Amino acid sequence: MADRNLIKKNLKNTLTETNFKGYKRVYKGKVRDVYEVKSQRFFVATDRQSAFDRILASVPFKGAVLNLFSKFWFEQTKDIIANHMIAVPDANVMVMKPLKIFPVEVVVRGYLTGTTGTSAWVAYEKGERLFCGVKLPERLKKNQAFDHPILTPTTKSDAHDEKISAEEIVKRGLVPEQQWKKIEEAALKIFARGQAIAKKQGYILVDTKYEFGEDEKGNVVLADEVHTPDSSRYWVAATYEKQLAAGQEPENFDKEFLRLWFKNHCDPYNDPVLPPAPDELVEELAFRYIDIYEKLTSLAFNAQADLPIHDRIQKNLNIYFNT
Ligand SMILES: Nc1ncnc2c1ncn2[C@@H]1O[C@H](COP(=O)(O)OP(=O)(O)OP(=O)(O)O)[C@@H](O)[C@H]1O
Ligand SMILES: [Mg+2]
């Protein structure tokens, strides 16, 4: 069970910046840092909570939860397609196979939902019936399931991701046709597996985003993170029908409350320095991450908090890489 006292005790024992001695940092993402050593690569999942393209807070145990979530889903889907996971020498670390990542975000949606400019529901409400090359039927309601999950890719770019059809991906040469076929097939199968497992655990896997890459032999390999609460939307299955019938939003894994607090207390788009997030909110978010991990996987989250987190990871890296 997620333990509020342990979270409280570790509110400051979080991983925001990383600097591991003896390892070369080659990339700093919004949430994960990538390191290189002896021609091997690994991700360090930090506790950074990002929104508005900046860091709002550091949430205890979040990096570990996300990393272990991906580990779980890589194991659960490895019969469908090979993935980049090599080892998890620490709760926050994943040693992975470096790949050439295809410049496409492979989005799969089981339900018509969303609130942002790129969401399927917002487009549908405006009358769009062709979404990323997929024809949508008439008279769908918000948060209703599609007959079949649909693939709605976007380009992967620094500026902003742009919707694109499967046809256009191949035509523009973003992914060669043969490999794209494999990606499509794998993405839908992984999503179906995700939905089946989530359902058994009392959740609906609503939509998600995958990244694929190719290895030196040209094989398509599943990369990045899989079915984490940061890359996916989850709803509570038991109350979904009732909420839909009542015209209410489904119960979800929600981190919107933290974004809202910032919107109400500062201008997160423009202020040079943000106020610190209140402890109670950070604690609540940590609780929710651990809780959904345990419920979805039926695994106990073994929070390790005996050492300062950066020291613990350094120690485990040194053991694994023999340095
Ligand atoms: N096996 C892999 N080989 C190489 N790069 C990978 C692999 N798996 C994931 N990546 C890349 O590593 C980065 C992960 O970092 P993170 O998700 O924190 O960054 P991000 O800010 O989301 O980055 P981006 O904006 O590029 O997606 C992403 O750029 C992702 O495409
Ligand atoms: Mg990412």
Side-chain angles (χ1 to χ4, degrees):
M1 258 269 284
D3 177 347
R4 286 194 189 270
N5 279 327
L6 194 70
I7 294 170
K8 273 200 187 87
K9 261 198 241 151
N10 284 278
L11 273 177
K12 297 290 169 275
N13 185 17
T14 53
L15 189 68
T16 308
E17 297 298 331
T18 71
N19 175 20
F20 295 107
K21 291 200 185 65
Y23 305 88
K24 186 176 160 211
R25 195 170 76 191
V26 291
Y27 181 80
K28 186 177 179 198
K30 287 192 276 283
V31 172
R32 282 166 296 169
D33 294 348
V34 183
Y35 280 82
E36 197 177 71
V37 62
K38 299 178 183 171
S39 75
Q40 296 180 76
R41 284 203 174 203
F42 60 89
F43 277 126
V44 180
T46 71
D47 296 321
R48 299 194 284 263
Q49 185 75 39
S50 85
F52 315 109
D53 276 327
R54 54 205 298 189
I55 308 301
L56 299 188
S58 287
V59 180
F61 305 114
K62 181 204 166 199
V65 167
L66 288 196
N67 191 49
L68 296 176
F69 240 120
S70 281
K71 174 175 186 257
F72 172 82
W73 285 113
F74 281 134
E75 282 162 356
Q76 296 294 324
T77 56
K78 64 174 189 245
D79 61 309
I80 298 172
I81 188 167
N83 62 61
H84 73 174
M85 178 170 70
I86 293 173
V88 178
D90 179 279
N92 290 67
V93 177
M94 185 174 292
V95 184
M96 48 82 166
K97 193 169 178 177
L99 301 164
K100 205 174 113 209
I101 300 290
F102 294 113
V104 176
E105 311 238 327
V106 185
V107 180
V108 181
R109 300 170 193 269
Y111 293 74
L112 179 62
T113 190
T115 51
T116 63
T118 54
S119 80
W121 167 249
V122 171
Y124 190 88
E125 207 185 13
K126 282 191 208 143
E128 275 180 52
R129 291 295 178 269
L130 198 63
F131 193 78
C132 304
V134 181
K135 233 178 132 190
L136 303 178
E138 291 299 328
R139 280 179 284 283
L140 287 180
K141 281 194 290 186
K142 187 174 186 205
N143 301 326
Q144 197 179 338
F146 296 118
D147 287 344
H148 304 285
I150 60 173
L151 217 87
T152 60
T154 67
T155 58
K156 197 169 150 53
S157 76
D158 287 342
H160 65 276
D161 303 344
E162 168 202 346
K163 289 182 276 185
I164 189 168
S165 68
E167 203 185 346
E168 193 68 16
I169 287 171
V170 173
K171 219 162 87 187
R172 281 200 218 163
L174 298 179
V175 186
E177 186 167 13
Q178 288 267 319
Q179 288 169 317
W180 177 251
K181 288 276 164 268
K182 290 201 177 119
I183 289 175
E184 273 188 337
E185 196 188 318
L188 291 173
K189 281 189 182 161
I190 302 162
F191 191 73
R193 177 74 52 85
Q195 285 202 315
I197 293 175
K199 196 169 168 196
K200 264 200 343 230
Q201 306 297 112
Y203 287 92
I204 295 173
L205 175 61
V206 179
D207 47 35
T208 194
K209 179 217 70 168
Y210 306 112
E211 291 185 30
F212 292 87
E214 72 178 319
D215 66 11
E216 62 294 330
K217 293 188 195 117
N219 295 316
V220 173
V221 178
L222 178 61
D224 208 50
E225 56 180 336
V226 174
H227 299 168
T228 69
D230 280 9
S231 70
S232 319
R233 201 185 316 248
Y234 285 105
W235 290 337
V236 174
T239 54
Y240 166 74
E241 292 292 348
K242 194 184 82 201
Q243 295 289 100
L244 193 73
Q248 306 267 320
E249 284 299 302
E251 272 185 84
N252 59 356
F253 173 83
D254 190 3
K255 43 192 183 208
E256 190 59 22
F257 66 92
L258 192 68
R259 292 168 50 102
L260 273 177
W261 185 88
F262 279 91
K263 276 194 164 169
N264 291 335
H265 288 83
C266 61
D267 176 357
Y269 291 101
N270 297 305
D271 291 353
V273 179
L274 297 180
D279 284 353
E280 312 81 71
L281 297 193
V282 174
E283 182 193 318
E284 176 59 26
L285 196 51
F287 182 88
R288 290 186 189 189
Y289 272 111
I290 296 171
D291 187 57
I292 194 170
Y293 171 80
E294 293 194 322
K295 287 183 177 149
L296 253 163
T297 64
S298 287
L299 298 169
F301 176 70
N302 285 321
Q304 294 162 301
D306 43 335
L307 287 176
I309 185 165
H310 199 281
D311 296 348
R312 185 202 75 213
I313 298 173
Q314 177 85 56
K315 193 177 114 198
N316 285 332
L317 287 173
N318 294 353
I319 293 170
Y320 180 81
F321 289 107
N322 220 338
T323 49

